[in-house]
Amino acid sequence: MASSSVPMCAACHRQSASLRLCGQCKLAYFCDSVCQRKIWKGHKPVCLAASNPCVDMKKTEFCGNGLFATRAFCRGELIVVEKAQFISKQELADKNALTQLGYELTPTNGHELLACNGPIMSLLNHACVPNARVKREAGLYRKLYARQDIAAGDEICTMYDSIRDDGDEECTTPEARIMKRLQLMTRFGLDCKCKDCILDKSLETLEID
Ligand SMILES: C[S@@+](CC[C@H](N)C(=O)[O-])C[C@H]1O[C@@H](n2cnc3c(N)ncnc32)[C@H](O)[C@@H]1O
């Protein structure tokens, strides 16, 4: 049976402790340069997104720091690949509900550890109409994909506490956003200040006045 702790060649799937780690992305293992060459076409975007993420941390207007694109991305494009971080169940218990959100149980070496976003993806803020989504891969990696075209300088946001597994939830109407705000407030005490919610709230105030 395959063991999750022994490296696996990304090309031929052979497991061995003596595989070589890709020197550029430091994520994928290969038997040798023959295996590396075999899947280079498929590995290249992952390698680039991991070794040279075109994103930057910047202060947002209402949500603390956020993750921003430093170049344009097309819909469906891979933006960042990042190794998950691991913590124990006990460490997780000390965190608040919102911080617990990005964690998933991953049995590693017979111990139960929890995988969470790495330092880059921990910067992702929530948006009710997100332009990106995170895909979890076997607990070990997180891949951030563009859900729509993203311009250089745009903030990259995802949907928190998504009700859909494919990460394709979006709240495009003010009514849907009211429900989402209620969900985030009830579960995490989070008062959503994404750009659509800020606009909804300002229009509500105008109507009252
Ligand atoms: C995973 S962190 C995101 C990065 C964070 N903004 C920072 O400065 O490190 C989650 C925190 O960001 C803030 N946040 C994220 N999305 C938000 C939103 N739509 N409205 C208000 N605050 C948000 C909240 O304070 C939340 O606890």
Side-chain angles (χ1 to χ4, degrees), residues 63-65 98 122-126 160 190-194:
C63 306
N65 288 318
L98 184 61
S122 299
L123 286 169
L124 288 164
N125 286 322
H126 161 88
Y160 283 12
L190 178 73
D191 178 18
C192 183
K193 297 192 182 79
C194 75

Side-chain angles (χ1 to χ4, degrees), residues 104-152:
E104 64 187 300
L105 192 62
T106 308
T108 313
N109 270 343
H111 302 287
E112 284 192 338
L113 289 176
L114 294 139
C116 64
N117 286 341
I120 299 180
M121 290 190 212
S122 299
L123 286 169
L124 288 164
N125 286 322
H126 161 88
C128 287
V129 185
N131 56 8
R133 68 190 169 93
V134 175
K135 195 171 164 230
R136 298 166 174 181
E137 291 216 341
L140 299 176
Y141 300 105
R142 303 285 160 111
K143 290 184 175 176
L144 180 67
Y145 287 96
R147 283 188 73 241
Q148 35 183 261
D149 290 350
I150 297 174

Side-chain angles (χ1 to χ4, degrees), residues 53-80:
C54 294
V55 291
D56 200 7
M57 182 181 90
K58 271 207 252 171
K59 196 132 194 74
T60 67
E61 205 173 349
F62 303 109
C63 306
N65 288 318
L67 195 66
F68 287 76
T70 57
R71 69 158 171 93
F73 292 93
C74 298
R75 182 169 175 226
E77 197 178 338
L78 187 59
I79 304 171
V80 174

Side-chain angles (χ1 to χ4, degrees), residues 19-52:
L19 296 181
R20 295 193 210 153
L21 189 60
C22 172
Q24 191 167 316
C25 67
K26 308 225 170 15
L27 285 181
Y29 286 92
F30 296 101
C31 296
D32 49 31
S33 56
V34 177
C35 274
Q36 190 165 17
R37 244 179 270 129
K38 244 188 246 168
I39 60 149
W40 174 242
K41 218 173 150 195
H43 178 60
K44 191 177 166 191
V46 177
C47 201
L48 284 176
S51 59
N52 179 28

